[in-house]
């Protein structure tokens, strides 16, 4: 059980101002992540989205008499891999328990979960925000089976039950109450999702319910003991999480400032009304009658197997970010943007091969990603292959085109959806940099002759040279090499 001494110290910059003074918001998340597996946790039934009702249900999932669960070894491996990715303790000994409660889409009348001896113990996640980096501690990760789905909107007089999800393997990842704002909670959830996707242990698809969170929210006066928490169930979007936490915090503060008390309860978030509402009161009042599952032996994991899994871990986001900074000379911000999605990081590295890595990062983040965001697309949907970004940077590096012309080339690349390479676009639209120094010199001479007074000022005001550069570039339709223009202007205007 967590006590006040276990949690993160107060941060005055995060306090919420109420009518009667400041309040501290305390948040912990219980994240349910569907294990990336082809079959369920205790049966051979298929797992997948889009199947017809009850098409992926085995006799075990349907709790037919005499059916016994058989633990899926691959799901255990995925849980161990996740624990290692969270820098957590892998428990050599764990056990499955029965959590007893009745619900129509839970045919067994209990859920197989882990209460007393989870497969993964304490770990941590580093979360970067705009103003700081915080550590969110992981309390535990345990495996459990999902329930089915009750459908209430097909028939006004009946409830339909779809058991396709029943028995699907879930990892429940429980954090310590280390977050102090909705921004921190969302940033943690995003970072955790990124780690799981990198590891390949969960696809992170929140729209399909494959990753969702229960948000434990409480408030307290700074320096006082922890307040009574309320749990907001099944939040499955970053925006909803932020809205739900902020509403709940204000709701609790208003009750306390009016002299009331907070009732420990489970609440749901109404996205249409942007508010939480009571679902059931006092979770501790539920008697789940946990006891060890008699059909499943205790789980004993060999250290050699744990080490074998560790040896095959992928490069994790924090490690990749550090490498991008050291290997490619990127800023911490740009590296963070690129590693936030594994496909994005892979795209960048392919484009950066043999090229100016900083320049490639600029075109990927400020060019391609900005355009994709405008159309609501991900990097996987990009019409431009990484080779085209690489080719564009190569044309800039070799002075075939200027940086200004490169923007025109990129516009053609985007409009033509990658049909032509940048080099082909340059040829088609005659966009090559004009390195004819004779033509550039003539443009400069004409400009100086027409602006003799400004030319005279340049010797005493060297910053005025920029005006001449702009005018020459305009006269050459942006095709002149800027470096050549600068050098010639300095010579002709006598600027050192």
């Amino acid at each position: 059980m967590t006590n006040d001494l276990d949690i993160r110290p107060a941060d005055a910059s995060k306090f919420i101002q109420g009518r009667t003074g400041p309040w501290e918001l305390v948040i912990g998340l219980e994240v349910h992540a569907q294990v990336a597996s082809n079959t369920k946790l205790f049966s051979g039934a298929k797992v997948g989205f889009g199947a017809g009702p009850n098409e992926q249900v085995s006799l075990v999932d349907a709790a037919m008499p005499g059916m016994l669960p058989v633990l899926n070894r691959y799901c255990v491996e995925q849980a161990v891999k996740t624990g290692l990715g969270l820098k957590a303790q892998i428990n050599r000994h764990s056990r499955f328990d029965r959590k007893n409660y009745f619900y129509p889409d839970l045919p067994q009348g209990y859920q197989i979960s882990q209460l007393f001896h989870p497969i993964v113990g304490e770990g941590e996640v580093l979360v970067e925000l705009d103003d700081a980096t915080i550590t969110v501690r992981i309390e535990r990760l345990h495996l459990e089976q999902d329930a089915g789905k009750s459908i209430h909107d097909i028939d006004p007089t009946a409830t339909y039950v779809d058991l396709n999800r029943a028995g699907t393997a879930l990892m429940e990842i429980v954090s310590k109450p280390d977050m102090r704002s909705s921004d921190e909670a969302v940033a943690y959830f995003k970072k955790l999702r990124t780690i799981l996707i990198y590891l390949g242990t969960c696809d992170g698809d929140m729209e399909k319910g494959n990753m969702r969170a229960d948000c434990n929210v409480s408030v307290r006066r700074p320096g006082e003991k922890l307040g009574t928490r309320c749990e907001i169930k099944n939040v499955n979007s970053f925006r909803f999480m932020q809205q739900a936490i902020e509403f709940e915090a204000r709701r609790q503060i208003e009750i306390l400032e009016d002299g009331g008390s907070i009732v420990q309860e489970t609440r749901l978030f109404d996205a249409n009304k942007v508010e939480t509402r009571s679902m059931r009161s006092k979770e501790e009042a539920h008697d789940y009658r946990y006891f060890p599952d008699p059909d499943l032996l205790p789980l004993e994991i060999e250290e050699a197997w744990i080490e074998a899994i560790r040896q095959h871990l992928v490069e994790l986001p924090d490690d990749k970010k550090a490498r991008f900074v050291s290997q490619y000379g990127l800023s911490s911000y740009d590296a963070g943007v690129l590693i936030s999605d594994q496909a994005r990081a892979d795209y960048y590295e392919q484009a950066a091969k043999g090229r100016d890595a900083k320049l490639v990062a600029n075109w990927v983040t400020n060019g391609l990603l900005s355009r994709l965001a405008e159309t609501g697309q991900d990097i996987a949907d990009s019409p431009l292959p990484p080779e085209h970004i690489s080719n564009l940077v190569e044309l800039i590096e070799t002075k075939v085109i200027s940086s200004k012309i490169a923007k025109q080339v990129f516009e053609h690349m985007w409009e033509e959806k990658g049909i032509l390479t940048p080099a082909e676009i340059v040829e088609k639209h005659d966009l090559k940099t004009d390195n004819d120094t004779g033509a550039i010199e003539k443009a400069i001479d004409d400009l100086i002759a027409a602006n003799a007074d400004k030319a005279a000022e340049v010797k005493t005001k060297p910053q005025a040279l920029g005006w001449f550069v702009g005018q020459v570039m305009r006269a050459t339709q942006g095709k002149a090499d800027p470096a050549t223009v600068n050098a010639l202007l300095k010579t002709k205007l006598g600027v050192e």
Side-chain angles (χ1 to χ4, degrees):
M1 194 68 182
T2 300
N3 61 52
D4 288 1
L5 298 177
D6 292 329
I7 69 172
R8 178 178 160 195
D11 180 353
S13 67
K14 305 292 183 183
F15 292 168
I16 300 173
Q17 293 300 320
R19 298 193 317 272
T20 60
W23 295 86
E24 185 179 20
L25 174 59
V26 179
I27 307 163
L29 296 187
E30 299 173 12
V31 175
H32 293 82
Q34 180 174 315
V35 177
S37 170
N38 291 328
T39 52
K40 297 183 180 180
L41 184 57
F42 298 112
S43 80
K46 294 291 184 183
V47 173
F49 188 81
N54 297 304
E55 289 184 354
Q56 296 177 330
V57 184
S58 75
L59 296 177
V60 173
D61 307 323
M64 291 297 172
M67 295 298 103
L68 295 176
V70 177
L71 181 59
N72 185 330
R73 178 187 172 92
Y74 183 70
C75 291
V76 175
E77 180 180 337
Q78 292 286 67
V80 171
K81 186 184 295 184
T82 302
L84 293 173
L86 298 176
K87 302 181 179 64
Q89 171 66 40
I90 308 301
N91 294 324
R92 297 279 302 277
H93 171 87
S94 63
R95 192 182 70 194
F96 287 96
D97 304 292
R98 288 188 180 182
K99 178 181 180 181
N100 294 273
Y101 64 98
F102 172 78
Y103 208 68
D105 55 24
L106 191 68
Q108 295 163 311
Y110 59 85
Q111 177 191 40
I112 302 178
S113 182
Q114 293 184 307
L115 176 64
F116 302 106
H117 301 283
I119 191 168
V120 175
E122 294 186 348
E124 64 179 30
V125 175
L126 293 180
V127 180
E128 293 185 340
L129 299 111
D130 292 337
D131 56 349
T133 298
I134 65 170
T135 299
V136 176
R137 294 167 298 163
I138 302 299
E139 185 171 301
R140 57 186 280 147
L141 177 157
H142 63 260
L143 280 170
E144 64 183 21
Q145 59 180 175
D146 203 355
K149 180 180 180 182
S150 295
I151 305 169
H152 307 287
D153 56 2
I154 295 178
D155 189 316
T157 62
T159 294
Y160 287 70
V161 175
D162 182 1
L163 295 180
N164 279 347
R165 288 190 66 89
T168 298
L170 299 179
M171 295 180 289
E172 182 170 343
I173 304 168
V174 182
S175 82
K176 299 273 191 179
D178 285 343
M179 290 155 277
R180 293 294 175 270
S181 70
S182 60
D183 288 338
E184 290 185 359
V186 170
Y188 162 73
F189 193 40
K190 285 182 177 179
K191 181 63 175 290
L192 182 59
R193 179 175 180 269
T194 298
I195 292 171
L196 298 185
I197 293 173
Y198 264 70
L199 290 168
T201 57
C202 174
D203 65 13
D205 193 329
M206 294 183 289
E207 289 186 4
K208 295 177 181 176
N210 294 352
M211 189 168 177
R212 53 194 189 270
D214 298 339
C215 308
N216 291 301
V217 178
S218 67
V219 296
R220 65 175 178 178
R221 291 293 190 188
E224 294 187 357
K225 66 179 183 179
L226 286 173
T228 301
R229 65 180 173 86
C230 292
E231 182 183 37
I232 309 168
K233 296 290 288 185
N234 293 327
V235 180
N236 68 340
S237 91
F238 303 131
R239 182 166 62 92
F240 292 166
M241 176 176 288
Q242 187 145 28
Q243 292 174 337
I245 290 172
E246 290 176 0
F247 176 88
E248 181 60 21
R250 283 293 175 186
R251 185 190 73 86
Q252 292 185 23
I253 289 171
E254 288 179 10
I255 290 173
L256 293 170
E257 291 191 322
D258 287 340
S261 59
I262 304 302
V263 176
Q264 183 163 322
E265 62 183 350
T266 300
R267 300 180 68 85
L268 292 176
F269 177 64
D270 187 326
N272 294 320
K273 296 182 179 180
V274 193
E275 64 182 24
T276 64
R277 64 173 186 268
S278 181
M279 179 181 174
R280 59 177 180 261
S281 64
K282 292 191 177 179
E283 190 163 324
E284 270 69 18
H286 287 271
D287 181 9
Y288 290 119
R289 293 178 293 116
Y290 280 99
F291 63 86
D293 192 299
D295 294 331
L296 291 162
L297 291 172
L299 182 60
E300 303 289 343
I301 301 178
E302 295 181 354
E303 189 64 34
W305 191 48
I306 297 173
E307 286 306 309
I309 296 171
R310 192 194 307 274
Q311 292 302 315
H312 290 89
L313 283 181
V314 299
E315 184 180 38
L316 292 167
D318 289 340
D319 298 326
K320 190 179 289 289
K321 180 180 179 180
R323 180 170 65 81
F324 275 23
V325 170
S326 63
Q327 180 177 336
Y328 298 119
L330 302 184
S331 68
S332 177
Y333 175 80
D334 283 343
V337 170
L338 291 169
I339 65 91
S340 64
D341 179 89
Q342 189 172 29
R344 185 183 294 181
D346 292 344
Y347 183 103
Y348 166 73
E349 292 216 83
Q350 290 180 51
K353 287 179 181 176
R355 302 269 69 87
D356 182 326
K358 290 183 180 180
L359 194 53
V360 171
N362 182 58
W363 280 102
V364 172
T365 57
N366 298 324
L368 180 60
L369 293 181
S370 295
R371 281 306 182 87
L372 289 170
E374 290 172 5
T375 55
Q377 296 175 292
D378 295 322
I379 196 75
D381 305 314
S382 173
L384 307 180
E387 294 78 19
H388 282 198
I389 298 295
S390 180
N391 184 210
L392 179 65
V393 171
E394 180 184 17
L395 295 174
I396 299 171
E397 289 177 324
T398 55
K399 298 186 177 181
V400 173
I401 59 175
S402 66
S403 295
K404 184 175 181 179
I405 292 295
K407 294 178 181 178
Q408 296 181 40
V409 175
F410 183 82
E411 292 301 318
H412 287 296
M413 291 165 60
W414 183 260
E415 290 170 6
E416 297 175 13
K417 304 301 179 187
I419 295 174
L420 298 178
T421 67
E424 291 169 337
I425 288 171
V426 168
E427 289 294 333
K428 178 181 176 181
H429 297 280
D430 189 23
L431 295 173
K432 280 186 179 180
T433 296
D434 186 357
N435 289 315
D436 183 349
T437 55
I440 296 173
E441 283 194 79
K442 183 179 184 308
I444 292 174
D445 291 340
D446 291 345
L447 184 63
I448 292 174
N451 299 274
D453 54 338
K454 290 186 177 181
E457 291 178 4
V458 172
K459 289 185 179 181
T460 56
K461 297 180 179 179
Q463 64 270 26
L465 184 71
W467 182 85
F468 282 92
V469 173
Q471 293 301 310
V472 174
M473 295 303 293
R474 180 181 297 175
T476 59
Q477 297 181 321
K479 293 182 180 179
D481 176 35
T484 301
V485 172
N486 265 284
L488 289 173
L489 276 169
K490 287 180 178 179
T491 299
K492 290 181 178 290
L493 293 173
V495 178
E496 295 182 0

